[in-house]
Amino acid sequence: MIKQLNIWSFIFSTIWVLLFFIVSSTGPIEYTILGTQPFVLLLYVTLLTFVTGLLGMAGMENWKGMARSFSTITLTLGLSVFLTIIIFFGHLIS
């Protein structure tokens, strides 16, 4: 079960990075999804994937699992920091 958590958190982390590029290339964000802006929603699911990536570290059996775990944590942590900067400091330049 934990090995599958490791694999799925890696898959979702790559999906969130690709989704970030899609959302950021659409131009000015004036629409909302489920009552919140897409960057905020993406930050929430990225943090959730980060937590599941940490839990998936228990499923490391070989070097492939270790590489998946560390790349998941690196991708989601980097994306979370970048999204936090965009959300809190993105409106400074108008």
Side-chain angles (χ1 to χ4, degrees), residues 28-45:
I29 307 285
E30 296 179 7
Y31 54 89
T32 61
I33 299 172
L34 298 175
T36 184
Q37 289 193 354
F39 284 136
V40 176
L41 187 62
L42 189 60
L43 178 65
Y44 291 153
V45 295

Side-chain angles (χ1 to χ4, degrees), residues 8-9 14-15 19 28-29 32-33 37 39 41 53 57 61 64 66 69 77 84 91-92:
W8 281 106
S9 62
T14 55
I15 289 172
L19 190 62
I29 307 285
T32 61
I33 299 172
Q37 289 193 354
F39 284 136
L41 187 62
M57 286 186 76
E61 296 175 354
K64 291 178 186 178
M66 184 175 62
S69 291
L77 189 62
T84 303
H91 296 290
L92 294 178

Side-chain angles (χ1 to χ4, degrees), residues 3-74:
K3 182 179 178 183
Q4 289 180 350
L5 189 65
N6 186 357
I7 293 170
W8 281 106
S9 62
F10 176 72
I11 290 170
F12 280 125
S13 67
T14 55
I15 289 172
W16 302 147
V17 170
L18 293 174
L19 190 62
F20 168 75
F21 286 123
I22 291 170
V23 168
S24 64
S25 67
T26 59
I29 307 285
E30 296 179 7
Y31 54 89
T32 61
I33 299 172
L34 298 175
T36 184
Q37 289 193 354
F39 284 136
V40 176
L41 187 62
L42 189 60
L43 178 65
Y44 291 153
V45 295
T46 302
L47 290 174
L48 183 67
T49 306
F50 176 73
V51 170
T52 57
L54 288 176
L55 293 174
M57 286 186 76
M60 291 189 300
E61 296 175 354
N62 53 12
W63 66 272
K64 291 178 186 178
M66 184 175 62
R68 271 194 310 265
S69 291
F70 285 125
S71 62
T72 298
I73 290 171
T74 304

